[in-house]
Amino acid sequence: MKISSMKYLFGQGIKSVWTNRIMTFASFCVILVSLLLVGSMMLFTANVNRFISGIESKNEIVVYLNDNVPEETVSQMEGDIKKLDNVAEVVFYSKEQAFEDYKKSMENAEEIFESIGDESPLPDAFKVRVKDISKMTSTIAQINKMQNIYKVSAPNDFADLLIGIKSTVAMISTAVIAALGIVCLVIISNATRASVFARRKEINIMKYVGATNIFIRIPFFVEGMVTGMLAGLAAAGITWFGYEKFIEALSKQMTLWKAFGIDEFIPFASVAVKVFLGYIGAGALLGAIGTVISTRKHLKV
Amino acid sequence: MKISSMKYLFGQGIKSVWTNRIMTFASFCVILVSLLLVGSMMLFTANVNRFISGIESKNEIVVYLNDNVPEETVSQMEGDIKKLDNVAEVVFYSKEQAFEDYKKSMENAEEIFESIGDESPLPDAFKVRVKDISKMTSTIAQINKMQNIYKVSAPNDFADLLIGIKSTVAMISTAVIAALGIVCLVIISNATRASVFARRKEINIMKYVGATNIFIRIPFFVEGMVTGMLAGLAAAGITWFGYEKFIEALSKQMTLWKAFGIDEFIPFASVAVKVFLGYIGAGALLGAIGTVISTRKHLKV
Amino acid sequence: MSVTYSNGVDALNNVSLKINDGEFAFIVGPSGAGKSTLIKLILKEVDVTSGEVIVNGFNLHKIKRGKVPKLRRTIGVVFQDFRLIPTMTVYENVAFVLRVIDAPKKYIRSRVPYVISLVGLKDKVKCYPSELSGGEQQRVALARALVNDPALIIADEPTGNIDPELSYQIVQLLKDINNCGTTVLMVTHAQELVEHFGGRTIVLNNGSIVFDKVLGGINED
Amino acid sequence: MSVTYSNGVDALNNVSLKINDGEFAFIVGPSGAGKSTLIKLILKEVDVTSGEVIVNGFNLHKIKRGKVPKLRRTIGVVFQDFRLIPTMTVYENVAFVLRVIDAPKKYIRSRVPYVISLVGLKDKVKCYPSELSGGEQQRVALARALVNDPALIIADEPTGNIDPELSYQIVQLLKDINNCGTTVLMVTHAQELVEHFGGRTIVLNNGSIVFDKVLGGINED
Ligand SMILES: Nc1ncnc2c1ncn2[C@@H]1O[C@H](COP(=O)(O)OP(=O)(O)OP(=O)(O)O)[C@@H](O)[C@H]1O
Ligand SMILES: Nc1ncnc2c1ncn2[C@@H]1O[C@H](COP(=O)(O)OP(=O)(O)OP(=O)(O)O)[C@@H](O)[C@H]1O
Ligand SMILES: [Mg+2]
Ligand SMILES: [Mg+2]
């Protein structure tokens, strides 16, 4: 095919976005909505995951030491623990510090501590942060085998909880995104099918005067792609605006989110490029494929 | 119009759901998706609200009493507090009980309590549950005016937190449902417009042979309504199945949800009638209105 | 009256014409003369740019939107491009006109097959328009125009796709209907039909009437 | 060869026909005789139920799907229902056939207006089909059939909506093209055209050929 023909066909495709605006607008809306749904679900999931790994990183094992362990042994133990595979960080937590924190945490009970005096009844400890929360149990077992250890206290329930949240979030978001994806494919293919169906006679006529399938398809392909790209662009714009407004509104309740361990939402700027390219690319792909597949049936004359 | 004509027009409408299946299927899918989106968002919100009022009902003010208040005064005070507008429940919490609970809550600190003995150093108290968490501050002020009170401790931060969550959830869900609603209206009106557009010639011809607008519209109205009702039925079915599966999957992590204060999700059975009627009604309305509005333009010949 | 299309084409130029009740008139003229436009005018498919049209007692300039269907029911039209409803069978296409006027079911069931057989399509009753030959489609359009006994029948080139022999029969059919009091207006390019049947003949050219006389035909009766 | 439509209508019954290169043939016959079906067969719009069709060297029974466009490009057709693309102007409709064969831009720009002027539609170049009269649409279809100098021109009732005078001119045009070596096949109901021009005349009736002879016309030249 010659360049001038290609130019003509591309031009026809772009023109027909406007000529068939009622139909292309229907496809446009459907693609737009699909992208928005899947996209906002993905942004939501990304925020949740960030929040979870935030909590995860704060999760720690407390290793209480026996009384009166010599200082050099303590620092050697610290080194030993640090060498373990799954350990991310080890911090020494002295008994004096522990007692201070303990006192502070007790409201309305000042009288109790008055009778104890200043000597800390609590043991020295290490606070250990693990890399992978799901391997915590075996890490605890490894630490327990060491000498001079009074007790290892792990937030086991909390670990289970977190693992539970993680898998639940993964499950829900995968299910929802997959469901939305399928639903979107169905409605997009229907919208493009309807759009092409409304022009089946045109397609037939072109075939009858000797046009090849590819010749008829290119304008449809271009039309679908342009429609999809426009939808992608619009979706990206809406997401940008909507997400920023949303985060802004949520940030007014920052104390609330802090209580849940969320310090900051993912700023749009950090995902902007991904969102724009992803939307426009997905839109173009969906529009083009949808339209081209829909033409197939009518080309068989 | 005669009964037989009405019958004919209704029959035509129902028939054309099948005759124009490519177009009506596109509308069907679009309405289905719209209903599913709005509906599942509503179910989600309903669950969140239930969860919040669950927490709310557990939220309590602790009123500490002075030492050695006589028993009759205590019971009189209990009555007085109960009479306050916003108070839902008052429970007496003796100092012995308080000390027991306190001891239990302290892990790794048995040594401390040994030095204190069995006499409770804590005061007697009332636990007060309020009806409306947002009026808590004034309730506390009212209680503070009473005699024999050592201190009123209110989980003020927590109250603020809950109010925050409530308003945030209300805001998000309203915003999301409204946004989805608008988006759905746009795509439904486009889908029906496209469907009618594909048959504009038919409509024109009918006008040219003397059909009135109402005569042409009734079949479209019926077609739209039937398509919408089918979409509503399908949406209700999918919601039913999906919701039960979802709850089932989530319930495997019941300990996790308990940790968040969720004892039970709303069972589908309790909302089934609402969901089915709501979906079918909304579907019929959307389909019928969409189609009828879309015919208007083409009837002007 | 005059008609100017939105793209500036003057389809009709100060035409003045009166067709009497019960008349039979041929309208002839070269391609693009404005014959179909005249018919569209009568059906209120297009509106006059200037002038006035009165059809079967309706003044088309003043008629309300809601009354237009009433007007159209008094006219049976064979459109040049047939305008059959593609999703309906031959039977349904013809019956539609009767359903529109709330005709009794019984009447529809006897009248429609009768009219279809008049145009010789008894065995095509259940076909869809796309399954018919050009001439067959044209005859369905004719059947539709006749079925509700309208006061005025307008036929735009009703024999353009039909062989000469059948054409004579069809014009004869229209003549017979005319003899029962119905006004008939027929656009045609078939000179031999005009010559054969005669009657009032109006020649349009370039949007104006250039000839309007009653010709004597080689009438059979 | 025979053609039976899926609803059981036998449109063609054991027809055997050979049109020689460079011939000019009229096909006549009553409505529903199978004339359009014969043309659809040549274009591979319908397939034979039994028998074999060979057109311009393509055996339509064995031809691959991908080659069908090549076949169709060697044939110019005036369809009975015109089949103009409603979203394209007259110019674009005619030019489309040339674009399909990758014709040079320059050639398109000179050829298309020339052919459109041949059928007398110079001032309708920018109109859309819906803005044309019936006869004008038919002439656009004719222009489209001629524009790429096909080896075979098939015209199904190309003068059905056109006045007698112009009809003679159009058939004369086809005759002239035929004289340059193009095969022309023309379906018509206009007896006077057949009588006037003469040539090979094939009469179809009820799916069979009942007459196939060369008639002497009152040829002008
Ligand atoms: N919708 C339209 N918009 C613009 N111009 C139109 C429209 N319809 C018809 N015309 C033009 O008006 C003129 C008269 O058209 P009309 O259809 O009345 O002709 P006609 O006498 O019926 O011709 P034919 O015998 O070919 O059917 C033509 O030049 C045509 O191009
Ligand atoms: N798609 C189809 N399906 C079924 N039957 C058809 C189809 N197309 C045509 N026919 C039937 O086949 C027969 C021949 O049709 P064809 O169109 O070939 O007639 P024709 O000779 O062109 O007639 P005309 O002069 O009226 O155009 C007719 O009886 C017609 O009803
Ligand atoms: Mg006309
Ligand atoms: Mg034919």
Side-chain angles (χ1 to χ4, degrees):
Chain A
M1 203 170 288
K2 282 196 298 189
I3 301 285
S4 67
S5 292
M6 285 305 282
K7 258 198 203 155
Y8 167 76
L9 294 175
F10 267 76
Q12 287 296 104
I14 290 167
K15 247 173 58 186
S16 69
V17 174
W18 179 246
T19 324
N20 301 293
R21 57 192 169 280
I22 290 191
M23 287 298 173
T24 49
F25 190 61
S27 308
F28 171 88
C29 286
V30 167
I31 297 177
L32 174 67
V33 171
S34 306
L35 290 177
L36 277 181
L37 289 175
V38 176
S40 40
M41 194 60 212
M42 282 178 160
L43 276 173
F44 175 74
T45 310
N47 270 302
V48 171
N49 283 334
R50 180 193 184 126
F51 156 56
I52 291 175
S53 46
I55 299 181
E56 214 171 36
S57 72
K58 280 175 201 149
N59 187 37
E60 44 190 24
I61 306 173
V62 184
V63 182
Y64 295 100
L65 302 184
N66 283 334
D67 265 0
N68 305 321
V69 179
E71 236 174 84
E72 54 269 35
T73 317
V74 170
S75 56
Q76 204 207 316
M77 285 177 77
E78 184 169 351
D80 287 350
I81 294 175
K82 224 174 221 155
K83 273 185 214 135
L84 293 177
D85 262 3
N86 194 30
V87 169
E89 198 187 23
V90 181
V91 173
F92 182 67
Y93 188 56
S94 73
K95 55 187 184 179
E96 289 78 23
Q97 185 62 45
F99 194 45
E100 273 308 303
D101 292 351
Y102 208 68
K103 276 185 190 164
K104 266 187 219 149
S105 72
M106 304 249 164
E107 234 196 315
N108 307 321
E110 294 84 3
E111 295 96 344
I112 301 174
F113 297 107
E114 272 163 27
S115 62
I116 302 173
D118 282 344
E119 178 70 20
S120 168
L122 298 171
D124 281 328
F126 290 120
K127 289 191 168 178
V128 178
R129 214 155 49 66
V130 298
K131 286 175 191 154
D132 183 349
I133 206 166
S134 63
K135 290 185 196 143
M136 202 181 234
T137 324
S138 76
T139 310
I140 291 172
Q142 288 174 316
I143 296 175
N144 256 328
K145 275 184 217 141
M146 293 178 178
Q147 299 286 322
N148 290 320
I149 285 174
Y150 164 61
K151 189 177 168 186
V152 177
S153 137
N156 248 327
D157 283 5
F158 188 54
D160 283 352
L161 191 76
L162 259 191
I163 296 172
I165 293 183
K166 259 180 102 170
S167 69
T168 307
V169 167
M171 186 197 82
I172 296 183
S173 59
T174 312
V176 172
I177 290 176
L180 284 179
I182 291 171
V183 157
C184 290
L185 282 184
V186 169
I187 63 170
I188 289 175
S189 77
N190 262 297
T192 49
R193 196 140 59 105
S195 155
V196 170
F197 181 77
R199 280 181 279 163
R200 65 195 179 288
K201 281 203 183 119
E202 229 176 291
I203 298 177
N204 286 354
I205 295 172
M206 289 178 179
K207 276 297 293 234
Y208 288 136
V209 299
T212 51
N213 292 355
I214 188 101
F215 195 89
I216 297 173
R217 265 180 167 166
I218 288 174
F220 276 99
F221 177 84
V222 172
E223 180 195 313
M225 207 171 63
V226 171
T227 307
M229 279 168 69
L230 290 177
L233 201 64
I238 292 174
T239 305
W240 185 4
F241 180 82
Y243 188 77
E244 300 244 303
K245 285 276 159 220
F246 206 62
I247 295 299
E248 199 183 302
L250 292 184
S251 298
K252 283 183 191 146
Q253 304 277 350
M254 213 57 228
T255 43
L256 165 64
W257 301 111
K258 285 246 170 70
F260 281 115
I262 302 172
D263 300 323
E264 194 200 16
F265 298 101
I266 299 175
F268 188 77
S270 72
V271 290
V273 175
K274 266 193 216 164
V275 167
F276 269 84
L277 292 185
Y279 272 169
I280 294 175
L285 199 73
L286 289 172
I289 291 182
T291 320
V292 166
I293 289 177
S294 313
T295 48
R296 182 193 311 240
K297 201 173 127 193
H298 307 296
L299 285 171
K300 286 189 185 153
V301 290
Chain B
M1 204 171 289
K2 281 196 299 186
I3 300 286
S4 67
S5 292
M6 285 305 282
K7 259 198 202 155
Y8 167 76
L9 293 175
F10 268 77
Q12 286 296 103
I14 290 167
K15 248 172 61 187
S16 69
V17 174
W18 178 247
T19 324
N20 300 293
R21 57 192 169 279
I22 290 190
M23 288 297 174
T24 49
F25 190 60
S27 309
F28 172 88
C29 286
V30 167
I31 297 177
L32 174 67
V33 171
S34 306
L35 291 177
L36 277 181
L37 290 174
V38 176
S40 40
M41 194 61 211
M42 282 177 163
L43 275 173
F44 177 74
T45 309
N47 270 302
V48 171
N49 282 334
R50 181 192 183 129
F51 156 57
I52 291 175
S53 45
I55 299 181
E56 212 171 36
S57 72
K58 282 174 198 150
N59 187 35
E60 44 191 23
I61 305 171
V62 184
V63 182
Y64 295 100
L65 304 184
N66 284 333
D67 264 359
N68 305 321
V69 178
E71 239 175 80
E72 56 270 36
T73 316
V74 169
S75 57
Q76 204 208 318
M77 284 177 78
E78 186 168 351
D80 286 349
I81 296 175
K82 225 174 223 156
K83 272 185 214 139
L84 293 176
D85 261 2
N86 194 31
V87 170
E89 198 187 24
V90 181
V91 174
F92 182 67
Y93 187 55
S94 73
K95 54 183 182 183
E96 289 78 26
Q97 185 61 42
F99 194 46
E100 273 308 301
D101 292 351
Y102 207 69
K103 277 184 188 166
K104 266 187 221 152
S105 73
M106 304 250 161
E107 233 196 318
N108 306 321
E110 293 84 2
E111 295 97 342
I112 301 174
F113 296 105
E114 272 162 28
S115 62
I116 302 175
D118 281 344
E119 179 68 21
S120 167
L122 298 171
D124 282 327
F126 290 120
K127 289 191 168 177
V128 178
R129 213 155 51 64
V130 297
K131 286 173 190 157
D132 183 349
I133 205 166
S134 64
K135 288 184 196 143
M136 202 181 235
T137 322
S138 77
T139 310
I140 291 172
Q142 287 174 316
I143 296 175
N144 254 328
K145 275 185 215 140
M146 294 179 180
Q147 299 286 323
N148 290 320
I149 285 175
Y150 163 61
K151 191 175 167 188
V152 178
S153 138
N156 248 326
D157 282 5
F158 189 54
D160 284 351
L161 191 75
L162 259 191
I163 296 172
I165 294 182
K166 259 180 102 168
S167 70
T168 307
V169 167
M171 186 196 80
I172 296 182
S173 59
T174 311
V176 172
I177 290 176
L180 285 179
I182 291 170
V183 157
C184 291
L185 281 183
V186 170
I187 61 170
I188 289 175
S189 77
N190 263 297
T192 49
R193 197 140 58 104
S195 155
V196 170
F197 181 77
R199 280 181 280 163
R200 64 196 179 288
K201 282 206 181 117
E202 227 177 293
I203 296 177
N204 286 353
I205 295 173
M206 289 179 179
K207 277 297 293 235
Y208 288 137
V209 298
T212 51
N213 292 354
I214 188 99
F215 196 90
I216 297 173
R217 264 180 167 167
I218 288 175
F220 276 99
F221 177 84
V222 172
E223 180 195 313
M225 206 171 63
V226 171
T227 307
M229 278 168 70
L230 290 176
L233 201 63
I238 292 174
T239 304
W240 184 4
F241 180 82
Y243 187 76
E244 300 244 303
K245 284 276 158 220
F246 206 63
I247 296 299
E248 199 184 302
L250 292 184
S251 298
K252 283 183 191 146
Q253 304 279 350
M254 212 58 227
T255 44
L256 165 64
W257 302 111
K258 285 247 172 70
F260 281 117
I262 303 172
D263 300 323
E264 194 202 15
F265 297 101
I266 299 174
F268 188 77
S270 74
V271 290
V273 174
K274 265 193 215 164
V275 167
F276 270 84
L277 291 186
Y279 271 168
I280 294 175
L285 200 72
L286 289 172
I289 291 181
T291 320
V292 165
I293 288 176
S294 314
T295 46
R296 182 193 311 241
K297 201 173 126 194
H298 307 295
L299 285 171
K300 287 190 184 152
V301 292
Chain C
M1 60 226 174
S2 300
V3 173
T4 307
Y5 282 110
S6 55
N7 64 352
V9 176
D10 287 326
L12 288 177
N13 251 328
N14 281 320
V15 168
S16 178
L17 181 67
K18 183 170 164 40
I19 311 284
N20 297 312
D21 276 5
E23 224 171 352
F24 188 110
F26 283 112
I27 300 178
V28 296
S31 176
K35 306 179 294 296
S36 298
T37 303
L38 188 65
I39 290 173
K40 287 178 186 167
L41 212 57
I42 296 172
L43 265 184
K44 205 170 157 66
E45 188 180 332
V46 299
D47 283 322
V48 285
T49 325
S50 67
E52 194 165 64
V53 187
I54 298 174
V55 179
N56 288 349
F58 295 92
N59 183 329
L60 299 197
H61 201 58
K62 293 176 186 157
I63 193 171
K64 283 196 206 111
R65 278 224 159 267
K67 293 276 177 218
V68 174
K70 284 234 169 81
L71 157 74
R72 290 179 181 157
R73 288 173 194 176
T74 64
I75 311 170
V77 187
V78 183
F79 295 95
Q80 196 169 8
D81 49 359
F82 315 156
R83 301 199 188 168
L84 301 176
I85 299 172
T87 52
M88 290 184 180
T89 60
V90 168
Y91 181 93
E92 281 302 326
N93 259 291
V94 176
F96 187 80
V97 181
L98 292 178
R99 299 200 200 275
V100 160
I101 56 169
D102 248 349
K105 240 174 157 175
K106 243 180 161 174
Y107 179 69
I108 295 179
R109 242 177 289 163
S110 64
R111 174 75 178 166
V112 174
Y114 168 70
V115 176
I116 292 178
S117 72
L118 271 188
V119 297
L121 288 176
K122 241 192 297 202
D123 18 302
K124 300 287 176 188
V125 165
K126 282 182 185 157
C127 291
Y128 286 91
S130 63
E131 300 170 347
L132 296 179
S133 81
E136 286 162 353
Q137 288 180 38
Q138 201 158 42
R139 283 179 280 155
V140 176
L142 180 66
R144 184 177 61 183
L146 306 179
V147 74
N148 67 340
D149 266 330
L152 167 62
I153 292 179
I154 302 178
D156 198 350
E157 204 81 66
T159 60
N161 291 282
I162 292 172
D163 51 296
E165 205 171 320
L166 198 54
S167 298
Y168 281 99
Q169 286 172 30
I170 282 175
V171 180
Q172 190 58 53
L173 179 67
L174 288 174
K175 272 273 183 206
D176 293 347
I177 292 169
N178 172 249
N179 285 340
C180 301
T182 304
T183 316
V184 176
L185 219 59
M186 174 169 162
V187 173
T188 188
H189 287 307
Q191 236 157 8
E192 70 281 12
L193 286 180
V194 181
E195 281 160 15
H196 185 269
F197 287 98
R200 183 165 171 195
T201 305
I202 301 158
V203 181
L204 266 179
N205 196 354
N206 226 337
S208 309
I209 294 179
V210 293
F211 180 95
D212 182 358
K213 285 223 178 79
V214 178
L215 299 180
I218 322 160
N219 231 321
E220 287 159 342
D221 43 36
Chain D
M1 59 226 176
S2 301
V3 172
T4 307
Y5 283 110
S6 55
N7 63 352
V9 176
D10 288 326
L12 289 177
N13 251 328
N14 283 317
V15 168
S16 177
L17 183 66
K18 182 167 165 44
I19 311 282
N20 297 312
D21 276 5
E23 222 171 355
F24 189 110
F26 283 112
I27 300 178
V28 297
S31 176
K35 307 180 295 295
S36 298
T37 304
L38 188 66
I39 290 173
K40 287 178 187 170
L41 212 57
I42 296 173
L43 265 185
K44 207 172 157 66
E45 188 180 331
V46 298
D47 283 321
V48 285
T49 326
S50 66
E52 192 165 67
V53 189
I54 298 173
V55 180
N56 290 348
F58 295 92
N59 183 330
L60 299 197
H61 202 56
K62 293 176 187 157
I63 193 170
K64 286 198 202 105
R65 278 226 158 267
K67 294 275 177 218
V68 174
K70 284 231 168 81
L71 158 75
R72 289 180 181 157
R73 287 173 196 177
T74 64
I75 311 169
V77 187
V78 183
F79 295 93
Q80 195 170 11
D81 49 359
F82 315 155
R83 301 201 187 168
L84 301 176
I85 298 172
T87 53
M88 289 184 180
T89 61
V90 168
Y91 181 92
E92 281 302 325
N93 260 292
V94 176
F96 187 79
V97 181
L98 292 178
R99 300 199 199 277
V100 160
I101 56 170
D102 248 347
K105 239 173 157 176
K106 242 182 165 172
Y107 179 70
I108 296 179
R109 241 176 290 161
S110 65
R111 174 77 178 165
V112 173
Y114 169 70
V115 175
I116 291 177
S117 72
L118 271 190
V119 295
L121 288 176
K122 239 191 297 199
D123 17 302
K124 300 286 175 185
V125 166
K126 284 183 182 155
C127 290
Y128 287 90
S130 63
E131 299 170 348
L132 297 180
S133 81
E136 285 162 355
Q137 289 180 40
Q138 201 159 39
R139 284 180 279 155
V140 177
L142 180 66
R144 186 177 61 183
L146 305 179
V147 74
N148 67 339
D149 265 329
L152 168 62
I153 291 179
I154 302 178
D156 197 350
E157 205 80 66
T159 61
N161 290 282
I162 292 173
D163 51 297
E165 207 170 318
L166 199 53
S167 298
Y168 280 98
Q169 287 171 30
I170 283 175
V171 180
Q172 190 56 52
L173 179 66
L174 287 174
K175 272 274 183 203
D176 293 346
I177 292 169
N178 171 249
N179 285 339
C180 301
T182 304
T183 316
V184 176
L185 217 61
M186 174 168 162
V187 173
T188 189
H189 287 307
Q191 235 156 6
E192 71 281 12
L193 287 180
V194 181
E195 281 160 17
H196 185 270
F197 287 98
R200 183 167 171 194
T201 305
I202 301 158
V203 181
L204 266 179
N205 196 356
N206 226 337
S208 309
I209 294 178
V210 293
F211 181 93
D212 182 359
K213 284 223 180 77
V214 178
L215 298 180
I218 322 161
N219 233 322
E220 285 159 346
D221 38 38

